[in-house]
Amino acid sequence: MAFELPKLGYAYTALEPYIDARTMEIHYTKHHEAYTTNLNAAIAGSELEKEPIENILAKASTLSPSIRNNSGGYYNHNLFWKIMVPDHGGEPKGELANAINRNFGSFENFKKEFSAAAATRFGSGWAWLVKSKNGLKVFSTPNQDNPLMDVVEFKGIPILGLDVWEHAYYLLYQNRRPDYITAFWNVIDWDEVAARFKE
Ligand code: MN
């Protein structure tokens, strides 16, 4: 079974003005499509073809750079499209809000910490909010690595992720990554993040 590019739950224009339609279209139809195609090519004929993506990520240290990068790229973008929604923003509620307050002191503190992780990731990578047995944690990873991989310093379940590769923002924001990070808070689907937190 080959991995499939999942359907986007909204139009390319849906996240404007925070994420522009041209970036969305290229990001989804070119970048995410390429990670999917390249992952399928890299695992073709191997035992990995029968495994769920999470199992492949969990043994990243044993895999070729091509499988590591493309399995991460496949999974990370699946998550990224899901945790965004038009005109949502706002703040988390319920248990997730309580956990954020407990771990970071306040939503504002969490926002600062996550934004700093996204802003200071040198080069290409992702900022994450991760659920682990030791609570919630913010950190960033290089390239297409993610917290499900056995190669990262802090492992857990990613419940929120922000792509800070230049391909995610350069057409609209050029070198202004902080402006893109600020805009991201307007399109986060906190209901989806809360559902991932509960799982
Ligand atoms: Mn990307």
Side-chain angles (χ1 to χ4, degrees):
M1 273 297 290
F3 289 104
E4 280 179 23
L5 186 66
K7 287 255 184 300
L8 263 191
Y10 39 76
Y12 299 135
T13 53
L15 304 180
E16 290 193 336
Y18 308 109
I19 296 178
D20 62 293
R22 187 160 161 71
T23 297
M24 271 305 299
E25 181 171 4
I26 294 171
H27 202 172
Y28 173 71
T29 66
K30 307 290 185 197
H31 294 275
H32 196 187
E33 196 280 333
Y35 294 124
T36 309
T37 302
N38 293 340
L39 171 61
N40 286 329
I43 63 173
S46 81
E47 287 296 308
L48 294 173
E49 275 190 309
K50 300 182 192 111
E51 299 206 27
I53 190 72
E54 290 83 358
N55 292 12
I56 297 176
L57 298 170
K59 51 186 161 193
S61 64
T62 68
L63 304 173
S64 69
S66 173
I67 299 177
R68 171 171 165 177
N69 292 335
N70 289 299
S71 62
Y74 176 73
Y75 178 94
N76 294 348
H77 292 84
N78 285 4
L79 178 139
F80 191 47
W81 310 138
K82 283 275 190 193
I83 53 90
M84 295 193 290
V85 72
D87 289 328
H88 226 58
E91 294 187 12
K93 299 190 264 312
E95 280 177 48
L96 175 60
N98 294 340
I100 285 175
N101 289 335
R102 204 161 51 237
N103 284 268
F104 303 99
S106 68
F107 180 67
E108 279 310 307
N109 282 351
F110 157 68
K111 228 173 133 172
K112 270 188 211 147
E113 200 176 311
F114 186 94
S115 297
T120 58
R121 166 49 52 192
F122 185 76
S124 299
W126 290 74
W128 303 104
L129 174 62
V130 178
K131 179 188 176 184
S132 78
K133 55 182 185 303
N134 299 315
L136 294 176
K137 170 99 173 160
V138 161
F139 68 101
S140 72
T141 53
N143 306 315
Q144 294 295 352
D145 286 355
N146 76 40
L148 293 170
M149 291 182 172
D150 61 354
V151 292
V152 302
E153 48 182 315
F154 190 89
K155 283 172 276 301
I157 313 286
I159 63 172
L160 178 69
L162 176 60
D163 187 345
V164 295
W165 282 59
E166 285 186 345
H167 69 226
Y169 62 86
Y170 214 84
L171 290 177
L172 185 60
Y173 297 97
Q174 293 83 50
N175 60 320
R176 301 186 307 279
R177 188 193 287 184
D179 291 354
Y180 161 70
I181 296 167
T182 300
F184 175 62
W185 297 99
N186 294 291
V187 294
I188 297 174
D189 185 349
W190 287 110
D191 295 335
E192 175 67 24
V193 180
R196 288 171 186 263
F197 173 71
K198 265 195 159 172
E199 259 172 29

